[in-house]
Amino acid sequence: MAGDLGNADSAGAGEGVEEGVEGGVEGAGSDRPRKTRAGQSWASSEGVRASMRANRSRDTGPELALRRAVHGRGLRYRVAARPVKELRRTADLVFTKARVAVFLDGCFWHGCPEHHTVAVRNADYWASKVERNRNRDADTDRRLDEAGWTVVRVWEHENPLDAADRVEAAVIEARRAAARRPGPGNG
């Protein structure tokens, strides 16, 4: 999900790992848990660890529903792509010609004002993590705007049809604006 799109901070909890677990991050699909200095799992409990491992970074239910709704409007897009190659941020949907990047943000991970819940365990860590995510989101929006991109942010709780309406409107407007700009093929 967009929540952790190109997130350089996602490995932050693994700083100071034990020997043999390079960089605090195991290879893709590894069952071996990331360790702390004391040799314990990074999660506060087995239940938390299981829950965290089940979190997907893409192809989540809300993301698939949004993609179906946008595709149903005849719009075609790239999935999980970097709008600007030099910027290490990945959008959930990218309309390259229209220069529209869509991010679907999770309510917990991005601090939804309506649905964000405060973590019971490791509350300080998670509050800091959500704050870093929000700061990175604002930085991403600013950088993409400066590069001439339109950013659409969608909360995971939003109705996918309503969100698809917003995405479609942004793509149509971006296409109109591009057609009005002087340039090759535009007059």
Side-chain angles (χ1 to χ4, degrees):
M1 196 170 347
D4 296 311
L5 307 167
N7 182 0
D9 294 332
S10 62
E15 293 177 14
V17 295
E18 76 174 2
E19 239 179 73
V21 183
E22 184 176 312
V25 179
E26 287 297 317
S30 173
D31 287 336
R32 209 165 114 201
R34 188 166 50 191
K35 302 288 185 172
T36 63
R37 280 195 181 128
Q40 299 170 344
S41 174
W42 52 268
S44 58
S45 72
E46 279 304 310
V48 168
R49 182 170 183 263
S51 175
M52 293 297 294
R53 288 177 54 116
N55 285 323
R56 301 165 61 124
S57 64
R58 64 175 277 190
D59 299 335
T60 63
E63 185 179 327
L64 292 174
L66 177 63
R67 288 186 350 212
R68 276 191 299 272
V70 169
H71 190 272
R73 287 167 168 71
L75 299 173
R76 302 301 179 253
Y77 46 82
R78 295 179 61 213
V79 175
R82 288 184 184 178
V84 177
K85 289 188 190 305
E86 301 79 32
L87 182 59
R88 196 170 161 239
R89 310 286 164 83
T90 305
D92 293 300
L93 306 177
V94 176
F95 299 86
T96 51
K97 288 185 181 178
R99 297 176 67 92
V100 174
V102 180
F103 295 89
L104 196 139
D105 295 334
C107 292
F108 174 79
W109 300 104
H110 296 268
C112 170
E114 224 176 298
H115 299 105
H116 178 70
T117 57
V118 177
V120 175
R121 293 194 175 146
N122 284 336
D124 291 340
Y125 169 77
W126 288 112
S128 175
K129 170 67 175 159
V130 169
E131 186 61 29
R132 287 191 314 270
N133 287 348
R134 295 180 84 177
N135 290 339
R136 188 186 61 251
D137 292 345
D139 180 62
T140 299
D141 293 353
R142 179 187 55 77
R143 288 178 175 206
L144 289 177
D145 183 58
E146 289 171 357
W149 284 76
T150 299
V151 174
V152 178
R153 292 233 172 234
V154 176
W155 288 110
E156 71 176 330
H157 68 264
E158 286 186 59
N159 179 314
L161 299 176
D162 294 342
D165 288 343
R166 290 185 20 234
V167 170
E168 181 179 32
V171 170
I172 290 169
E173 179 53 36
R175 288 176 178 165
R176 285 183 185 149
R180 289 190 298 262
R181 281 193 297 264
N186 290 343

